[in-house]
Amino acid sequence: MRKDGLMRMRRNRLKDHSINRLIPNMLTLFALCAGLTSIRFAMDQRWEHAVLAILFAAVFDALDGRIARLLDSSSKFGAELDSLSDFVSFGVAPAVVLFMWTMQDVKGIGWALTLLFSAGMALRLARFNTKLDNADLPAWHSRFFTGVPAPAAAGLVLLPLVASLQFPDLEILRSPYVAGPVMLAVAGLAVSRIPTFSFKRLKISQALVLPTMIVVAVLTALALAEPFATLLLILVAYICSIPLSVASHRRLQQQRPMPSAAAPVNDADADHL
């Protein structure tokens, strides 16, 4: 009997730690390592690679939560690991990269803005973690984030660096007096209550499937040919989408109001904080 019990415990341990359950956490660790590697590239002044490393971190971050749901391997451990990875990859790494790129030229003020951005991202993630169990929100709230999500904030704060890589002759783009206000504005957007679109909840009608695939194919081709120009275009398009998301949220709120005790908006999934 004792031997049978030990055998059952061993089988259970193997089942609980199958490779399927580890894949999402592996992707999260890949995102964490990519974010940290961007700092290493910045130390070597390899700015293109630093930007691409953070981009890869965003891709891995987008995949881990979806694969966890597909494999039915979501866990509290994975959610906590994802939150910590997001803070490092999108809260610390972009700020340090910008500090090494230009903000160190203004010394104390540059470091203060670097700390402010990282603190803002930490506050955003902490706010998200306190709202995970809010079940009082209507179904349409999942179409929006509260403020700018972490991967998007990391991309927006790197906007001056991306623009400088695309237009190297424009020296003004490297000025800390350009990057500094951008850091301050993005930190404010991250902790704000401005509703922004959650594009993973976007539903595409049957008639638009083919045009959407064509757009994706064009963007992929552009990204391979001109990666920084394509990234710059996507970031500008995202900024332009914010007023549209505010208008859409206001319209839905008027049609189907939220409970008064609930927050105006809440984040949809843990893989995009």
Side-chain angles (χ1 to χ4, degrees):
M1 290 293 293
R2 184 176 180 181
K3 185 177 180 179
D4 292 341
L6 289 174
M7 291 296 295
R8 282 196 298 270
M9 289 176 64
R10 288 173 182 171
R11 285 196 296 268
N12 288 337
R13 281 200 298 268
L14 290 174
K15 181 179 179 181
D16 289 343
H17 295 83
S18 65
I19 189 66
N20 285 354
R21 296 186 64 85
L22 294 178
I23 290 176
N25 292 338
M26 290 178 181
L27 292 173
T28 303
L29 289 175
F30 290 159
L32 175 64
C33 292
L36 289 172
T37 302
S38 71
I39 298 176
R40 170 62 187 273
F41 286 138
M43 293 170 64
D44 295 335
Q45 297 187 1
R46 298 163 66 183
W47 309 116
E48 299 92 341
H49 294 83
V51 171
L52 292 176
I54 293 176
L55 181 60
F56 277 118
V59 172
F60 288 130
D61 179 71
L63 290 175
D64 60 3
R66 285 157 179 74
I67 292 180
R69 287 188 290 276
L70 286 173
L71 298 177
D72 192 24
S73 58
S74 300
S75 65
K76 180 67 174 175
F77 174 83
E80 294 295 334
L81 180 63
D82 183 75
S83 182
L84 292 171
S85 173
D86 283 354
F87 175 64
V88 172
S89 299
F90 309 127
V92 175
V96 173
V97 168
L98 282 179
F99 179 78
M100 294 181 179
W101 180 59
T102 187
M103 296 305 297
Q104 61 181 337
D105 293 343
V106 288
K107 300 179 181 178
I109 296 176
W111 185 243
L113 289 173
T114 300
L115 294 177
L116 179 63
F117 178 80
S118 295
M121 295 300 290
L123 291 172
R124 173 182 174 75
L125 296 175
R127 182 179 65 185
F128 169 82
N129 289 337
T130 63
K131 293 182 179 180
L132 287 176
D133 298 326
N134 193 340
D136 297 328
L137 298 170
W140 61 264
H141 89 282
S142 62
R143 304 179 193 176
F144 302 92
F145 292 121
T146 303
V148 175
L156 291 178
V157 82
L158 291 173
L159 192 57
L161 175 53
V162 175
S164 177
L165 293 173
Q166 181 61 30
F167 305 106
D169 295 333
L170 295 178
E171 292 293 334
I172 192 173
L173 293 173
R174 187 156 185 168
S175 170
Y177 299 104
V178 172
V182 170
M183 293 182 75
L184 187 61
V186 175
L189 287 173
V191 299
S192 72
R193 306 191 70 81
I194 296 175
T196 57
F197 284 126
S198 173
F199 292 103
K200 62 181 176 292
R201 297 288 182 172
L202 185 65
K203 294 183 179 180
I204 300 174
S205 64
Q206 187 66 32
L208 294 177
V209 170
L210 184 58
T212 301
M213 298 304 294
I214 293 175
V215 170
V216 171
V218 170
L219 284 176
T220 302
L222 288 174
L224 292 174
E226 294 289 342
F228 298 112
T230 306
L231 181 57
L232 187 61
L233 177 64
I234 292 173
L235 292 174
V236 171
Y238 182 82
I239 293 173
C240 294
S241 75
I242 294 178
L244 299 178
S245 67
V246 173
S248 177
H249 178 270
R250 184 179 294 117
R251 184 176 63 254
L252 287 170
Q253 194 171 32
Q254 290 173 351
Q255 294 172 356
R256 286 165 282 183
M258 290 185 176
S260 58
V265 242
N266 191 17
D267 294 317
D269 289 305
D271 58 335
H272 279 290
L273 304 179

